[in-house]
Amino acid sequence: MANIYPYGCFTHAVVRGIPESFGKLVEGGEGFQTDLAKAQRQMGVLTGTLRQKLGLQLIEIPAVSELPESWRIEDVAVIQGDTALITRPLKQQRRDEAEAVRRVLSELKLTVLEMGDEEGGSAGATLEGSDVLFTGKEFFVGISKHTNHRGAEVLADTFKDFAVSTVPVCGGSRLKNICSMGGPDTIIISSSDGAKKTLRVMEQLTDHHYEILSVPEDVAANCIYIRGPAKVDYLLHPTAEECPNSIPVSNRGCSVKAVTSQRV
């Protein structure tokens, strides 16, 4: 049985710098307006928060211009306890992002497992970490254009101590665009119609009870719950400027210390 740690307890954070090619389309990518300098400032605020306010040991992987989406570091690995699964992103170019992450996780003495080659047992599988929500009790895997059912099956085979349920991503392009954990038993979710559909499926599939905190803006649903080394509970969330209508709701609904940090 894999080592199971209290939910939300972290000692390290791994981030990757913003490349000069930030916002550049890879094959099959989506276009969006970008401001490189702003993104780099936001990353600086985020890393400062992780290190100084939360007391985590920070590992920063250098940016690589040839990998324009590599700053989305959570997509290339799913970690629970002392086991890390290197995923297989949908876009072929993004799979090159895994090499540096794999090296760091190995140096941290984690057991690193691979989804394998297209011709192997996980043939056809795609899985990105931003479609994976771990609640401390179970996994929900969002089925989206980035993640398919075969990818969810590989994750279930890797983390056999936990139930793994697949849910449709009905709002947003990734599961964590519409929901995240606000504490050990609290799910923060967007109040959009699509997110409500996803939530109904989650509630039908789970055997556990969760408090639900609904927020009016999608961006506000993407938070990170952290119990730092000092055993203080924090909720890392977007700024009031990004989601002015949701911050008061979050502060009322979560019994943890809210930490505002500009998320890239």
Side-chain angles (χ1 to χ4, degrees):
M1 183 174 181
N3 289 335
I4 299 176
Y5 301 97
Y7 181 69
C9 289
F10 299 99
T11 57
H12 294 72
V14 183
V15 300
R16 192 159 197 169
I18 304 294
E20 294 294 324
S21 56
F22 175 67
K24 179 181 177 182
L25 295 182
V26 298
E27 185 177 355
E30 299 174 342
F32 57 94
Q33 294 293 323
T34 62
D35 183 332
L36 176 61
K38 180 180 179 180
Q40 290 173 334
R41 288 195 302 272
Q42 289 176 328
M43 179 62 76
V45 172
L46 175 61
T47 55
T49 299
L50 293 170
R51 181 188 292 114
Q52 297 166 18
K53 289 188 178 180
L54 277 61
L56 300 180
Q57 296 183 53
L58 192 66
I59 300 172
E60 299 185 66
I61 301 176
V64 177
S65 198
E66 290 76 21
L67 301 173
E69 293 187 66
S70 56
W71 57 275
R72 300 181 186 268
I73 192 169
E74 72 170 331
D75 280 340
V76 297
V78 176
I79 303 170
Q80 201 295 310
D82 56 7
T83 300
L85 174 66
I86 299 298
T87 65
R88 182 187 294 141
L90 173 66
K91 304 169 196 170
Q92 182 68 41
Q93 181 182 346
R94 293 208 61 199
R95 299 175 191 177
D96 293 336
E97 298 169 17
E99 181 179 354
V101 176
R102 183 188 299 110
R103 183 167 56 252
V104 166
L105 298 180
S106 296
E107 291 172 353
L108 290 173
K109 308 301 182 185
L110 297 180
T111 299
V112 180
L113 304 176
E114 307 274 349
M115 283 188 63
D117 298 327
E118 286 286 359
E119 294 76 18
S122 55
T126 60
L127 179 70
E128 297 189 8
S130 52
D131 276 320
V132 179
L133 179 67
F134 180 60
T135 70
K137 300 177 175 71
E138 62 190 320
F139 286 95
F140 290 105
V141 179
I143 302 304
S144 68
K145 62 183 177 181
H146 306 279
T147 296
N148 61 23
H149 283 91
R150 184 67 190 111
E153 291 171 358
V154 175
L155 185 137
D157 289 341
T158 302
F159 300 106
K160 296 180 183 292
D161 294 321
F162 297 95
V164 176
S165 300
T166 59
V167 297
V169 179
C170 300
S173 61
R174 306 164 190 269
L175 183 62
K176 287 183 184 172
N177 288 157
I178 59 171
C179 68
S180 60
M181 296 304 294
D185 299 298
T186 300
I187 294 176
I188 300 176
I189 191 159
S190 165
S191 60
S192 68
D193 290 340
K196 290 176 182 177
K197 293 178 183 177
T198 299
L199 177 61
R200 284 196 291 270
V201 176
M202 294 168 73
E203 292 176 328
Q204 291 167 1
L205 293 174
T206 186
D207 293 326
H208 303 283
H209 172 74
Y210 300 101
E211 297 296 328
I212 304 300
L213 179 61
S214 180
V215 291
E217 293 139 322
D218 283 356
V219 66
N222 188 353
C223 299
I224 303 175
Y225 165 73
I226 296 174
R227 192 169 200 217
K231 297 192 169 39
V232 177
D233 292 351
Y234 296 96
L235 184 66
L236 192 65
H237 61 73
T239 64
E241 180 183 0
E242 295 173 282
C243 46
N245 299 316
S246 299
I247 296 301
V249 177
S250 298
N251 289 340
R252 288 197 306 268
C254 289
S255 57
V256 298
K257 185 174 182 180
V259 178
T260 299
S261 180
Q262 293 176 316
R263 302 279 298 282
V264 179

